Amino acid sequence: MNTSMIRYILGYILKIEGVLMLLPCLTAVIYHETEGIIYLAVAAAAFFIGFLMSRNKPKNTVFYLKEGCIATSLSWIVLSFFGCLPFIFTGEIPSFTDALFETISGFTTTGASILSDVESLSHCSVIWRSFTHWIGGMGVLVFLLAILPLSGGSHMNLMRAESPGPSVGKLVPRVKHTARLLYLIYFGLTVLEIILLLLGGMSFFHSVNTAFATAGTGGFGFRNDSFASFSPYLQWVVTIFMILFGVNFYAYFLVLFGKIKKALIISEVQWYFIIIILSTGFISVSLARSSMGIGESITHAAFQVGSIITTTGFSTMDFDLWSESCKTILVLLMFIGACAGSTGGGIKVSRLIIMFKTVAKELNSYIHPKSIKKIKMDDKPVEHEVVRSVNVYFITYIIIFCVSTFLVSLEGNDLITNFTAVAATINNIGPGLALVGPAQNFGFLTAFSKYVLMFDMLAGRLELFPLLILFHPRLWKDAWNQKQKIRAKQQQNKNV
């Protein structure tokens, strides 16, 4: 295992975080807030430690998927640890567990909060909370790939470990250019949303916060009522952009290069919009029947469907008060999630398509035992390895979900609270139902339950396996044996 390269990457990650933390420092200067000194101190410490870790570049810069998974998992843990320190030192979230929960929720774009009064936070802390969404949305390692020179297939191994979805490919011949192109699209959509929000009368500070949270499909708000008090125009702007950021970015790549027809026939994108339209239609009718106006019903339904399926987590009203059928649809959307290759969470639409086609193929084999039929998506055969990985992912997902629900239930809360708390965190959504509904928060949970849910947030964002590999005993045994061999070889060379 190339441990020196993992250390080198972690060092770069800390330096990047130190630079990114200058944004809340600048915000503190603008609003004359003393909390900015804390952010500056933490930023300097992160950059200095990162500099020491990445000072000497390893001779061997090649590493494989195993190292890519380890580097990715450790990077997100390190990011979250240093990212939570300003909350603690400023006293705005004095508890380490709560601060870490809030920060992991931010970086994983979950949006589950322990805060009951968001409006009491300083401007620099508000912008940092939202900025963690934007950083985590596309992935800080994807940004790192755009600037860090690696050898061989190391770029792809790092991108595969962090990018959401059943498979990751290159949009252009070089992975570095792919990473740059992804961030160009990401940045462009963010700026466009900021402009449209400004046109709706929202202040620049609030527009930036909202765009960061929407782009990363995170959902941290700056008001205690989330988006309920904003105008229908602003709600529709956010609705549209939540849905846009849930689209596979490969479709935007095709549009960018004039291949619009090819982008429109991507089956995952088609089903993504079909699910949104059908869900919005059903909930709109249900809300209209409950004495709400048609226009208002469509606005709230579209906003909430877009928020949940893209795993953003914003809300315009307490949907926990809706009918049971509407809440059931929202819970199902929590699991479906957005498209692969987007900033959204959940199981992903493409995985569900593959699973349904796998079931259909299996049923067909019962009727025609000798038939040989390949599973296809967009008229291309799906490799057996992809089908296998989807099946294994789903099994692992179910196991983690069941175990997490049981562990959280030890606290004694009701089943709906426990079930939706795990669903909201492992799918990186934010609000659930009952005690963790949109009008509530996660602050009442015990430290044990919060750490379980923190694990779920990280596992959900990293597609389970990059985080799980850290708990595999064989990994550390191999690393120890390799270290012993190196020491023995060095000792042998000294004796000679």
Side-chain angles (χ1 to χ4, degrees):
M1 186 165 65
N2 195 345
T3 53
S4 58
M5 194 60 201
I6 293 173
R7 170 189 51 77
Y8 184 69
I9 290 173
L10 291 177
Y12 252 94
I13 290 295
L14 278 176
K15 288 196 293 185
I16 291 174
E17 183 171 28
V19 173
L20 294 174
M21 210 173 278
L22 294 178
L23 178 61
C25 295
L26 177 62
T27 305
V29 171
I30 294 172
Y31 289 95
H32 309 289
E33 295 174 337
T34 56
E35 288 86 355
I37 299 173
I38 300 295
Y39 279 91
L40 184 62
V42 175
F47 190 88
F48 179 70
I49 294 171
F51 171 76
L52 294 178
M53 293 174 67
S54 61
R55 182 175 51 181
N56 299 318
K57 185 177 180 180
K59 295 179 181 179
N60 178 20
T61 59
V62 178
F63 61 99
Y64 302 98
L65 185 58
K66 175 178 66 176
E67 285 92 344
C69 291
I70 296 168
T72 300
S73 299
L74 293 179
S75 293
W76 284 72
I77 292 170
V78 168
L79 268 174
S80 300
F81 175 78
F82 277 88
C84 80
L85 295 180
F87 292 131
I88 299 171
F89 295 144
T90 58
E92 292 177 297
I93 308 179
S95 165
F96 172 77
T97 299
D98 286 348
L100 186 62
F101 184 97
E102 196 79 8
T103 309
I104 289 177
S105 180
F107 278 119
T108 59
T109 71
T110 303
S113 180
I114 51 85
L115 296 170
S116 57
D117 185 13
V118 177
E119 296 177 21
S120 65
L121 292 177
S122 60
H123 288 83
C124 55
S125 290
V126 169
I127 197 72
W128 178 239
R129 284 173 83 241
S130 300
F131 196 35
T132 55
H133 283 331
W134 197 85
I135 297 167
M138 186 56 65
V140 69
L141 289 176
V142 174
F143 175 75
L144 184 63
L145 291 176
I147 60 174
L148 183 64
L150 298 176
S151 304
S154 302
H155 272 112
M156 182 54 69
N157 286 326
L158 204 57
M159 181 173 275
R160 284 180 62 193
E162 186 180 47
S163 299
S167 62
V168 175
K170 294 180 284 186
L171 304 183
V172 290
R174 296 187 65 183
V175 178
K176 179 182 286 190
H177 294 159
T178 296
R180 290 175 180 174
L181 187 59
L182 287 172
Y183 258 98
L184 177 64
I185 297 170
Y186 190 52
F187 182 78
L189 286 172
T190 305
V191 172
L192 180 59
E193 184 183 359
I194 291 173
I195 294 171
L196 292 175
L197 290 172
L198 288 171
L199 292 175
M202 187 179 280
S203 69
F204 180 74
F205 177 77
H206 289 159
S207 297
V208 172
N209 274 279
T210 302
F212 282 164
T214 307
T217 61
F220 272 156
F222 46 84
R223 287 188 179 177
N224 294 329
D225 64 356
S226 188
F227 243 75
S229 57
F230 287 100
S231 68
Y233 168 82
L234 292 174
Q235 290 175 359
W236 271 109
V237 169
V238 174
T239 299
I240 292 169
F241 276 91
M242 284 191 296
I243 294 171
L244 289 178
F245 280 107
V247 173
N248 192 324
F249 271 56
Y250 175 62
Y252 295 130
F253 166 78
L254 294 175
V255 172
L256 200 63
F257 285 89
K259 301 177 182 178
I260 300 175
K261 289 184 178 180
K262 193 174 180 181
L264 294 175
I265 62 171
I266 298 175
S267 58
E268 181 185 30
V269 177
Q270 290 177 343
W271 277 106
Y272 170 70
F273 280 104
I274 288 171
I275 293 169
I276 290 173
I277 292 169
L278 292 177
S279 301
T280 301
F282 182 91
I283 295 176
S284 297
V285 172
S286 178
L287 293 178
R289 286 179 176 178
S290 63
S291 71
M292 188 182 291
I294 296 176
E296 189 181 1
S297 299
I298 295 173
T299 299
H300 287 303
F303 188 98
Q304 217 53 70
V305 167
S307 177
I308 296 299
I309 195 171
T310 61
T311 71
T312 304
F314 280 137
S315 61
T316 54
M317 61 185 302
D318 187 358
F319 55 79
D320 196 23
L321 301 176
W322 290 0
S323 68
E324 295 302 318
S325 57
C326 290
K327 289 191 289 185
T328 300
I329 288 175
L330 293 181
V331 171
L332 291 174
L333 294 178
M334 288 182 184
F335 291 95
I336 293 171
C339 298
S342 70
T343 61
I347 294 174
K348 305 292 184 302
V349 176
S350 59
R351 280 199 182 96
L352 292 172
I353 293 173
I354 291 173
M355 283 193 287
F356 277 116
K357 290 191 174 186
T358 303
V359 172
K361 179 187 174 184
E362 191 65 23
L363 289 173
N364 187 65
S365 68
Y366 277 86
I367 301 170
H368 303 287
K370 294 183 179 181
S371 67
I372 299 175
K373 190 177 180 181
K374 278 260 186 183
I375 295 173
K376 290 186 177 182
M377 279 190 70
D378 303 324
D379 294 325
K380 295 179 182 178
V382 179
E383 297 296 329
H384 174 73
E385 181 62 25
V386 175
V387 177
R388 186 196 66 82
S389 67
V390 168
N391 294 335
V392 173
Y393 173 91
F394 189 68
I395 293 169
T396 309
Y397 178 95
I398 294 297
I399 292 172
I400 294 176
F401 189 93
C402 292
V403 172
S404 298
T405 304
F406 171 74
L407 293 175
V408 173
S409 72
L410 297 176
E411 191 167 327
N413 295 313
D414 63 278
L415 179 60
I416 294 177
T417 296
N418 300 330
F419 185 89
T420 58
V422 174
T425 50
I426 197 171
N427 294 315
N428 304 134
I429 292 162
L433 297 174
L435 297 180
V436 291
Q440 312 297 328
N441 61 72
F442 289 72
F444 70 94
L445 295 171
T446 62
F448 174 77
S449 293
K450 287 173 184 173
Y451 279 105
V452 171
L453 297 179
M454 280 187 250
F455 172 87
D456 289 341
M457 287 189 276
L458 287 169
R461 176 58 182 84
L462 298 178
E463 303 283 287
L464 308 183
F465 296 105
L467 184 65
L468 289 178
I469 197 173
L470 292 179
F471 299 91
H472 200 301
R474 181 66 181 271
L475 172 73
W476 303 108
K477 184 179 179 181
D478 289 347
W480 173 259
N481 291 337
Q482 184 181 5
K483 193 173 182 180
Q484 292 298 101
K485 287 180 181 178
I486 294 172
R487 285 181 178 177
K489 191 173 182 180
Q490 290 175 343
Q491 187 63 38
Q492 188 179 7
N493 292 336
K494 285 181 180 179
N495 295 335
V496 172

